Amino acid sequence: GTLVIGKATATVALSNLTQIYTGSELTPSATTVPPNLSITWTGAPQTNAGSYPVTAMINDANYQGSNSGIFMISNHSASVISTISPTSRTAGGAAFTLTVNGSGFFKGFVVQWNGDSLKTTFVSATRLTAAIPATDIANAGTAQVTVSDPAPGGLTSNASPLTINNP
């Protein structure tokens, strides 16, 4: 006769099923009993905010098992501007680079000048720079600088004023 040995049952526990959007691929976590068995995911990784059904399946010659859950990626909180530099310019002056310091910045976020998007460079999660054309400081007044997430449902930061002084 033939002796057939079936796979033993293993347990899969899911964790990190709720995460905050980062702009990068995210995957929940899974642990197994016995420990350190290889896992194959269906429904993960995911990049965008949303709710996704996921299943973790053991991929092992000697064990079988799986577990399913709902993987939730929530929108991040709005960025926060702490400082801008410079904080003032003279009307009629030349184009310049504005530095925006704060928190919660991601690649693709856009510095806005009175609600208009500017050419923005991502430096880090705490710093963006933006090119301010001379036409934006042609006249005296106050500009409101914000940071916007252009993704669907994206949030806008607090506003930081930049004063444009009379010459």
Side-chain angles (χ1 to χ4, degrees):
T2 303
L3 175 64
V4 177
I5 300 175
K7 290 184 176 187
T9 300
T11 304
V12 180
L14 303 179
S15 58
N16 292 326
L17 284 171
T18 302
Q19 297 183 32
I20 296 175
Y21 169 83
T22 64
S24 300
E25 285 189 343
L26 298 171
T27 302
S29 300
T31 54
T32 62
V33 177
N36 304 318
L37 296 175
S38 176
I39 296 288
T40 301
W41 287 96
T42 57
Q46 295 291 337
T47 303
N48 297 316
S51 180
Y52 307 95
V54 292
T55 301
M57 293 169 289
I58 292 175
N59 182 11
D60 188 271
N62 300 313
Y63 293 95
Q64 64 184 2
S66 66
N67 196 353
S68 298
I70 300 296
F71 183 35
M72 305 256 322
I73 301 175
S74 61
N75 277 323
H76 53 82
S77 56
S79 301
V80 175
I81 296 176
S82 55
T83 61
I84 61 171
S85 179
T87 56
S88 66
R89 297 301 279 186
T90 301
F96 66 99
T97 298
L98 176 70
T99 299
V100 179
N101 297 301
S103 60
F105 302 151
F106 291 95
K107 288 180 182 175
F109 279 25
V110 177
V111 174
Q112 293 186 316
W113 181 272
N114 292 329
D116 294 329
S117 296
L118 299 170
K119 182 179 183 325
T120 302
T121 301
F122 174 84
V123 178
S124 71
T126 59
R127 178 169 291 172
L128 302 172
T129 61
I132 310 297
T135 53
D136 281 357
I137 59 166
N139 302 306
T142 301
Q144 296 298 321
V145 176
T146 56
V147 173
S148 177
D149 172 1
L155 303 171
T156 299
S157 73
N158 57 306
S160 188
L162 186 142
T163 304
I164 305 160
N165 297 306
N166 280 313

